[in-house]
Amino acid sequence: EVQVVESGGGLVQPGGSLRLSCAASGFIFSDHYMDWVRQAPGKGLEWVGRTRNKANSYITEYAASVKGRFTISRDDSKNSLSLQMNSLKTEDTAVYYCARGGSGSSLDFWGQGTLVTVSS
Amino acid sequence: SYVLTQPPSMSVAPGKTARITCGGNNIGSKSVHWYQQKPGQAPVLVIYYDSDRPSGIPDRFSGSNSGNTATLTISRVEAGDEADYYCQVWDNSSDHKVFGGGTKLTVL
């Protein structure tokens, strides 16, 4: 059974940092692109970024709103994905989802999300 | 940047057909994916590559894409279909994944 489980969310002050993790199981992690998507309270889905797989040189791509502040990394030996978030702003408050890349640019399996609250 | 436009809400009676649109400049040239999100839950992929269904998704869900509009069609709507629906594409010009604003489907 395919599973992705996020962890690491919490309350952080503006300007602070937080690292989210995503543990994957039930599939060949190294074959897949992996994405982070967020959802602010009561709002729609917003793409954060993704890491391509080894065959595509682990290239990372980011939304303009987080580029330069957030870093996505992966460890294929541990089936894990991370999101390092620096210089956090109140507008980064959201549920952060880890999702597996599927056919084309689709996301075919999602975790349940972890809540990040940026507030003083 | 590329923009996808969805109606914020729509309502449909049980047993009827719901058609949720997703507008974008020449969206017919892109692959469109659709997600269903129920309250308090993670999104679920219901259509990929415009019209393909993942395993486990009922054939009541179908999709089409042409010109400037992609459409998610839900036939014989059930109460359990009440959810938010999002379209999504990959924008090659910016190397960004783009989501529509979402449509809240209410089953009357």
Side-chain angles (χ1 to χ4, degrees), chain A residues 35 37 39 43-45 47 50 61-64 97 103-108 110-112, chain B residues 31 33 35 37 40-45 48-49 86 88-90 95-97 99-101:
Chain A
D35 290 50
V37 177
Q39 187 170 35
K43 302 297 183 181
L45 302 175
W47 181 69
R50 74 176 184 184
E61 292 144 320
Y62 299 92
Y97 293 101
S103 300
S105 67
S106 70
L107 298 170
D108 61 1
W110 297 60
Q112 285 304 305
Chain B
S31 292
H33 316 294
Y35 304 88
Q37 186 181 33
Q41 298 185 18
V44 172
L45 180 68
Y48 64 99
Y49 279 153
Y86 297 89
Q88 175 252 306
V89 301
W90 178 259
D95 282 340
H96 278 45
K97 193 161 289 182
F99 287 95

Side-chain angles (χ1 to χ4, degrees), chain B residues 6 8 11-13 16 25 33 42 45 50 60 69 80 85 106 108:
Chain B
Q6 298 182 237
S11 58
V12 62
K16 300 299 185 181
N25 184 34
H33 316 294
L45 180 68
D50 298 339
R60 299 184 299 102
T69 304
Y85 291 85
T106 298
L108 300 172

Side-chain angles (χ1 to χ4, degrees), chain B residues 37-84:
Chain B
Q37 186 181 33
K38 297 181 180 180
Q41 298 185 18
V44 172
L45 180 68
V46 294
I47 292 289
Y48 64 99
Y49 279 153
D50 298 339
S51 58
D52 288 343
R53 276 188 316 277
S55 60
I57 300 300
D59 61 5
R60 299 184 299 102
F61 289 80
S62 62
S64 62
N65 183 20
S66 178
N68 293 318
T69 304
T71 303
L72 172 69
T73 300
I74 310 171
S75 305
R76 305 181 301 281
V77 167
E78 303 174 355
D81 298 331
E82 190 163 281
D84 295 325

